[in-house]
Amino acid sequence: MREQWTTKSMPDQRGRVALVTGANAGLGYETAKALAERGACVVLAVRDVEKGEQAAARMTGDVTVQALDLTSLDSVRTAAAALRSRFDRLDLLINNAGVMYTPKQITRDGFETQFGTNHLGHFALTGLLLDLMLPVPGSRVVTVSSTGHRIRAAIHFDDLQWERSYGRAAAYGQSKLANLMFTYELQRRLAAHGTTVALAAHPGMSNTELARNTPAALRLPLTWLAPLITQTPAMGALPTLRAATDPAALGGQYYGPGGRNEVKGHPRLVTSSPESYEMAVQQRLWAASEELTGVTFPVAESQGSPLASGSAATA
């Protein structure tokens, strides 16, 4: 029987600097807590600094807090500048923060909230911090996606901000598909450098406050079913932690729960939707993201063939 991967499987993280977005609660909290317990210097990048400080106080180890509001590019730039003044290296960037099924809203920069927060904010943050990672062997960018990336799986280039019509589930699906496409395109661009790699993960069905915007008609049934179909945030964080720390993990891989339909269970390699591996769409999304955020990356354009959608099906 194959050994199950847990936090006990994590190697020593002493000497590593890790930044986790959205780390004051839920999956981000559990991710940051586990890294700190293994010896990493962990920065909780959070919108609410007071809640971040409260979360840090509940953790053991070297944990600090950085203000970061992913709905504001000004905030992203300010946070990146502050981090660059504090650290001369970054080993782990974990793009965890996110929103789900929000009513139609726009960010301070005019982006649809789910696309702006889940994808564009993290795209900008990664671009602004990547040169702290490129000199560091073994450094990793891990972006948290979702099985929701399969919902109407497409990047709607004709209406990225959902200005003509808005469906909260479809908008969430687009943002999570964008997370994966960003990861795969980033990995191709990083390949020539040989130091930093990009991976993705998803938590399955985890019982967190992320689902607070679930439509009312589904809220009660899901409450009844939650004990059967969800897992704890600590379990939901394991795919992210494996992508971030497993010495055997490779750039471009995607980790999720190993149970039926990837709903719950210990982490293993999984595959994303066929649409997520379309290289031409990844590159078009990258160009659009650079234009929208004004952030360019210190890595060359991608080369080579698309990632194979079946290349990481088992572990």
Side-chain angles (χ1 to χ4, degrees), residues 75-96:
S75 175
V76 172
R77 291 182 182 278
T78 298
L83 290 162
R84 294 169 66 86
S85 70
R86 293 172 56 190
F87 301 101
D88 59 6
R89 64 178 287 160
L90 182 61
D91 297 78
L92 295 175
L93 171 56
I94 299 182
N95 293 322
N96 162 83

Side-chain angles (χ1 to χ4, degrees), residues 202-225:
H202 81 83
M205 292 284 286
S206 297
N207 188 11
T208 72
E209 63 178 19
L210 188 63
R212 61 186 178 275
N213 291 308
T214 300
L218 297 176
R219 204 168 297 146
L220 188 57
L222 287 177
T223 299
W224 292 337
L225 292 171

Side-chain angles (χ1 to χ4, degrees), residues 61-83:
D62 184 356
V63 183
T64 58
V65 176
Q66 172 61 52
L68 171 68
D69 182 353
L70 289 164
T71 68
S72 165
L73 290 175
D74 283 345
S75 175
V76 172
R77 291 182 182 278
T78 298
L83 290 162

Side-chain angles (χ1 to χ4, degrees), residues 58-307:
R58 299 194 300 273
M59 297 182 191
T60 301
D62 184 356
V63 183
T64 58
V65 176
Q66 172 61 52
L68 171 68
D69 182 353
L70 289 164
T71 68
S72 165
L73 290 175
D74 283 345
S75 175
V76 172
R77 291 182 182 278
T78 298
L83 290 162
R84 294 169 66 86
S85 70
R86 293 172 56 190
F87 301 101
D88 59 6
R89 64 178 287 160
L90 182 61
D91 297 78
L92 295 175
L93 171 56
I94 299 182
N95 293 322
N96 162 83
V99 293
M100 183 173 76
Y101 296 170
T102 58
K104 178 63 185 295
Q105 299 170 342
I106 60 172
T107 70
R108 298 179 192 179
D109 302 288
F111 308 138
E112 184 275 315
T113 294
Q114 295 185 88
F115 187 67
T117 304
N118 298 349
H119 170 59
L120 292 175
H122 282 128
F123 179 93
L125 181 68
T126 304
L128 292 168
L129 293 177
L130 192 59
D131 62 352
L132 290 180
M133 307 187 75
L134 292 176
V136 183
S139 54
R140 301 182 185 186
V141 178
V142 180
T143 300
V144 179
S145 184
S146 165
T147 54
H149 82 273
R150 299 176 184 274
I151 300 172
R152 292 171 59 183
I155 304 297
H156 300 273
F157 289 107
D158 61 338
D159 191 16
L160 277 176
Q161 311 305 337
W162 301 86
E163 294 170 320
R164 292 201 296 270
S165 64
Y166 180 72
R168 63 175 73 187
Y172 178 70
Q174 174 179 262
S175 73
K176 294 286 105 179
L177 177 59
N179 287 154
L180 285 163
M181 289 188 157
F182 164 60
T183 296
Y184 299 151
E185 177 63 14
L186 177 59
Q187 173 56 31
R188 266 191 297 273
R189 291 171 179 249
L190 291 169
H193 294 267
T195 51
T196 308
V197 295
L199 304 94
H202 81 83
M205 292 284 286
S206 297
N207 188 11
T208 72
E209 63 178 19
L210 188 63
R212 61 186 178 275
N213 291 308
T214 300
L218 297 176
R219 204 168 297 146
L220 188 57
L222 287 177
T223 299
W224 292 337
L225 292 171
L228 300 176
I229 65 172
T230 65
Q231 58 185 357
T232 65
M235 281 295 294
L238 288 181
T240 301
L241 288 165
R242 185 169 187 181
T245 67
D246 188 342
L250 302 174
Q253 290 182 331
Y254 182 38
Y255 285 85
R260 181 177 296 179
N261 298 320
E262 301 171 29
V263 169
K264 55 200 301 188
H266 292 269
R268 66 172 176 86
L269 282 169
V270 296
T271 54
S272 51
S273 67
E275 292 83 359
S276 69
Y277 295 100
E278 293 179 1
M279 187 168 68
V281 181
Q282 294 166 9
Q283 293 174 338
R284 186 180 177 188
L285 175 65
W286 187 283
S289 301
E290 284 188 332
E291 181 177 356
L292 289 167
T293 63
V295 174
T296 57
F297 281 56
V299 286
E301 293 185 9
S302 64
Q303 303 292 328
S305 59
L307 296 167

Side-chain angles (χ1 to χ4, degrees), residues 18-39:
L19 175 69
V20 185
T21 68
N24 61 288
L27 301 170
Y29 174 85
E30 296 295 341
T31 300
K33 176 173 175 286
L35 289 169
E37 287 175 348
R38 284 295 187 189

